[in-house]
C-alpha cells in the first residue's frame, strides 16, 4: 500500500482552523464548508522518490517540446493558444532550459500499487501553494511525520531573486480569499518588497501598463491565466505590452504552451512516431509515466475528455469501457466553449478511507525554480474539482 491515512479529526476543529489561519492559511473553512480535511495521508518513501524522478524527467521533456513547438503556428492553433499571443511567442525567447516556468505543479494519480501516471501540468497559475508550503509542513510536524515541502519557500525566494518582480497581481485582490492569500504568501516568501494589486485595476497607455493615476509596472507576477487574454476586454492590449516588452510577466509568456493540455497530445504523438526529438530514455519515460493523449476522440472507451485550458475540474468528462459518459463535472466552468478538447486514456484516482467517508486522492507535486519539491493532496470525487478538499501528504520515514 502506497498511501495510509492516519490521525482522527480534532474535536475542536475551530481551534485548529484558527491556528492554520494564523500561519496564513485562512480558507481551511470556506462559507461554513470544510475545505481542509483534518487527517494526514502518509506516502511510502520509495513511491515519493520515484515521483520526484518522474517529475524531473517529465519537466525536461515538456521543456524540450515547448522549444520544438515555438514558431510553429499550426501547432499553436492545435493547442488552442489565442492568436493574440502568437506574435509574442514567436518574437520573445523562452527562459533557460528548465525555466520556462518557475512556478508550476504537476498533477498525478498514484495508485496503491505504486503506478504513477501524469494527468496534467499547471505551469502558469497553480494554486494550492499555501496549502503545500505553509499548512502541510505544520500539519505533518503535528503528527511527527516528515514533510518534503520545507524547501518550497527557499525555492520561491531564489526564483523571484532572478525574476525580480516589483508587483504581484490577481483578480479581486483583497476580496478573493484564496488567490489573495496565495499572492500574499508568495510575496512574503520571496523576501522582496512588492506591491499587490487587482488585475482589474490595471490600465494600459500605448503599451505601458499602469496602476493608479500613473504608476508604471514593468515587472509583475500575475496569477492570471494567459489564455484569457484572447477573451477578456483589454487582453489584446495586455498581450501587446508583453510582446513589445513594455512589461515582463511571470510566469513568462511561453508558460502558456506548457499550460495547454494539448501539449501532452503533441508529446504522445511524437512518442508514437518514435520521433528523434526524444532520446530512447525519454521515450521510456513517456511510455511509463504519461497516458495516451489525442487531439481527436480516437479512444473508443475508458477515456477522459477535457478542455485544453480547463481549471478546477471544469469540462472534465469520464467515459466507461463502452464509451458511454459515466461522470461529468457539474460545478466548474466548462471552458471547452472557448478551447479545444483533448482525449486521454483514463487512469482513476486511488480511493482512500477517511473519517467522513471514502474519497479519491489526487497527488500534486510543485516544480519551483525548476525543482520538484512540494506535495499537495486533494481529496474528493472521481473528478478533482471545486468541491474537492485539501489533505496534507507526508512521507514515511526511512
Amino acid at each position: 500500500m502506497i498511501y495510509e491515512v492516519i490521525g482522527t479529526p480534532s474535536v475542536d476543529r475551530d481551534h485548529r482552523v484558527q491556528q492554520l489561519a494564523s500561519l496564513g492559511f485562512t480558507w481551511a473553512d470556506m462559507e461554513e464548508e470544510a475545505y481542509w480535511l483534518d487527517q494526514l495521508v502518509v506516502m511510502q518513501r520509495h513511491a515519493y522518490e520515484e515521483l520526484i524522478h518522474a517529475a524531473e524527467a517529465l519537466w525536461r521533456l515538456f521543456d524540450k517540446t515547448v522549444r520544438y513547438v515555438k514558431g510553429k503556428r499550426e501547432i499553436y492553433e492545435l493547442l488552442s493558444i489565442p492568436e493574440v499571443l502568437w506574435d509574442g511567442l514567436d518574437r520573445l525567447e523562452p527562459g533557460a532550459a528548465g525555466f520556462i516556468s518557475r512556478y508550476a505543479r504537476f498533477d498525478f494519480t498514484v495508485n496503491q500499487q505504486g503506478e504513477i501516471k501524469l494527468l496534467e501540468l499547471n505551469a502558469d497559475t497553480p494554486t494550492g501553494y499555501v496549502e503545500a508550503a505553509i499548512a502541510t509542513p505544520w500539519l505533518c510536524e503535528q503528527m511527527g511525520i516528515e514533510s518534503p515541502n520545507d524547501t518550497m519557500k527557499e525555492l520561491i525566494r531564489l526564483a523571484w531573486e532572478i525574476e525580480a518582480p516589483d508587483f504581484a497581481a490577481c483578480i479581486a485582490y483583497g476580496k478573493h480569499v484564496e488567490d489573495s492569500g496565495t499572492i500574499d504568501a508568495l510575496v512574503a516568501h520571496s523576501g522582496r518588497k512588492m506591491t499587490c494589486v487587482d488585475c482589474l485595476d490595471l490600465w494600459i497607455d500605448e503599451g505601458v501598463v499602469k496602476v493608479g493615476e500613473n504608476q508604471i509596472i514593468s515587472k509583475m507576477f500575475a496569477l492570471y491565466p494567459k489564455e484569457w487574454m484572447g477573451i477578456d476586454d483589454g487582453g489584446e492590449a495586455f498581450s501587446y505590452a508583453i510582446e513589445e516588452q513594455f512589461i515582463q510577466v511571470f510566469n513568462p509568456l511561453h508558460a502558456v504552451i506548457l499550460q495547454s493540455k494539448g501539449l501532452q497530445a503533441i508529446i504522445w504523438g511524437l512518442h508514437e512516431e518514435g520521433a528523434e526529438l526524444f532520446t530512447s530514455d525519454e521515450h521510456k519515460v513517456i511510455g511509463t509515466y504519461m497516458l495516451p493523449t489525442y487531439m481527436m476522440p480516437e479512444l473508443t472507451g475508458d477515456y477522459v475528455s477535457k478542455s485544453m485550458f480547463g481549471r478546477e475540474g471544469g469540462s472534465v468528462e469520464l467515459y466507461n469501457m463502452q464509451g458511454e459518459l459515466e461522470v461529468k463535472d457539474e460545478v466548474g466552468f466548462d471552458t471547452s466553449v472557448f478551447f479545444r478538447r483533448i482525449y486521454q486514456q483514463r487512469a482513476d484516482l486511488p480511493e482512500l478511507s477517511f473519517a467522513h467517508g471514502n474519497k479519491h486522492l489526487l497527488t500534486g507535486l510543485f516544480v519551483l525554480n525548476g525543482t520538484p519539491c512540494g506535495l499537495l493532496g486533494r481529496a474528493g470525487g472521481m473528478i478533482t474539482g471545486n468541491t474537492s478538499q485539501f489533505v496534507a501528504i507526508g512521507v514515511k520515514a526511512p
Side-chain angles (χ1 to χ4, degrees):
M1 300 285 279
I2 297 301
Y3 294 111
E4 177 187 1
V5 179
I6 65 171
T8 55
S10 171
V11 294
D12 190 0
R13 179 180 175 87
D14 287 347
H15 177 64
R16 298 267 282 165
V17 167
Q18 289 169 8
Q19 287 180 298
L20 288 166
S22 70
L23 298 172
F25 178 38
T26 59
W27 55 99
D29 284 350
M30 294 193 291
E31 298 177 358
E32 299 183 0
E33 293 284 332
Y35 167 58
W36 159 61
L37 275 179
D38 187 11
Q39 289 185 274
L40 189 67
V41 173
V42 182
M43 188 179 197
Q44 292 285 347
R45 178 163 295 275
H46 70 85
Y48 171 72
E49 290 172 351
E50 184 180 352
L51 189 66
I52 292 293
H53 165 76
E56 289 172 342
L58 289 167
W59 188 247
R60 292 192 293 269
L61 269 168
F62 275 71
D63 183 280
K64 176 185 281 192
T65 310
V66 170
R67 296 170 201 279
Y68 165 79
V69 166
K70 184 181 182 297
K72 297 180 173 66
R73 294 193 166 201
E74 69 280 7
I75 300 183
Y76 294 168
E77 185 174 9
L78 286 173
L79 296 177
S80 270
I81 295 171
E83 196 168 348
V84 295
L85 303 180
W86 293 5
D87 284 346
L89 291 173
D90 287 350
R91 290 176 59 185
L92 301 176
E93 288 300 317
F99 298 105
I100 288 173
S101 163
R102 291 182 188 269
Y103 176 62
R105 191 191 72 234
F106 282 118
D107 285 340
F108 292 97
T109 177
V110 184
N111 66 23
Q112 288 287 33
Q113 290 70 48
E115 185 180 30
I116 297 168
K117 292 295 182 182
L118 174 67
L119 300 179
E120 56 191 57
L121 168 62
N122 187 333
D124 192 17
T125 60
T127 53
Y129 178 81
V130 174
E131 294 93 312
I134 294 175
T136 293
W138 184 81
L139 291 165
C140 286
E141 184 181 13
Q142 299 280 303
M143 299 289 288
I145 299 295
E146 179 185 334
S147 170
N149 295 16
D150 289 320
T151 59
M152 294 178 70
K153 297 178 184 180
E154 176 62 11
L155 288 166
I156 283 294
R157 188 191 68 77
L158 291 171
W160 281 11
E161 186 176 75
I162 294 165
E163 293 181 336
D166 299 312
F167 289 81
C170 67
I171 300 291
Y173 178 75
K175 299 172 186 174
H176 189 288
V177 175
E178 183 180 358
D179 286 358
S180 300
T182 300
I183 289 290
D184 289 341
L186 289 166
V187 169
H189 292 174
S190 75
R192 295 182 58 80
K193 290 184 179 179
M194 297 171 63
T195 303
C196 297
V197 297
D198 186 336
C199 288
L200 299 179
D201 290 337
L202 304 179
W203 57 287
I204 300 171
D205 178 17
E206 296 184 355
V208 178
V209 180
K210 299 180 179 181
V211 67
E213 289 190 10
N214 212 28
Q215 189 170 17
I216 294 173
I217 300 177
S218 59
K219 287 189 171 187
M220 178 177 70
F221 173 84
L223 203 64
Y224 168 75
K226 293 177 178 58
E227 67 268 18
W228 288 102
M229 279 188 260
I231 299 165
D232 287 345
D233 291 340
E236 188 171 358
F238 189 37
S239 63
Y240 173 78
I242 296 169
E243 174 192 334
E244 295 294 332
Q245 300 184 67
F246 287 108
I247 186 171
Q248 286 181 279
V249 293
F250 309 109
N251 283 310
L253 192 61
H254 293 90
V256 76
I257 303 177
L258 282 173
Q259 178 69 35
S260 174
K261 296 178 182 66
L263 193 66
Q264 293 180 71
I266 298 295
I267 292 171
W268 189 262
L270 290 166
H271 170 62
E272 284 192 323
E273 294 169 5
E276 293 183 1
L277 176 67
F278 303 127
T279 66
S280 59
D281 284 346
E282 288 170 337
H283 278 291
K284 185 176 180 181
V285 166
I286 295 167
T288 302
Y289 298 117
M290 293 187 68
L291 293 161
T293 307
Y294 302 95
M295 300 283 189
M296 302 297 290
E298 298 184 25
L299 300 163
T300 57
D302 201 30
Y303 69 92
V304 179
S305 172
K306 50 191 172 182
S307 168
M308 291 192 184
F309 287 105
R311 311 266 175 157
E312 295 291 339
S315 83
V316 177
E317 300 173 346
L318 304 184
Y319 290 82
N320 62 21
M321 290 290 291
Q322 289 72 46
E324 301 162 338
L325 179 62
E326 182 178 342
V327 183
K328 179 179 180 179
D329 182 83
E330 301 288 355
V331 180
F333 175 65
D334 185 358
T335 56
S336 66
V337 297
F338 298 121
F339 309 110
R340 294 171 183 257
R341 284 181 169 270
I342 61 160
Y343 303 86
Q344 186 178 70
Q345 186 182 83
R346 182 167 160 179
D348 287 340
L349 302 170
E351 189 172 3
L352 306 184
S353 179
F354 293 90
H356 299 298
N358 288 3
K359 296 180 184 295
H360 294 84
L361 180 72
L362 178 77
T363 302
L365 183 68
F366 278 87
V367 182
L368 305 179
N369 206 36
T371 302
C373 58
L375 292 169
L376 174 70
R378 296 285 298 277
M382 297 175 73
I383 297 172
T384 306
N386 276 331
T387 58
S388 298
Q389 296 171 286
F390 157 61
V391 62
I393 302 178
V395 177
K396 195 175 181 70

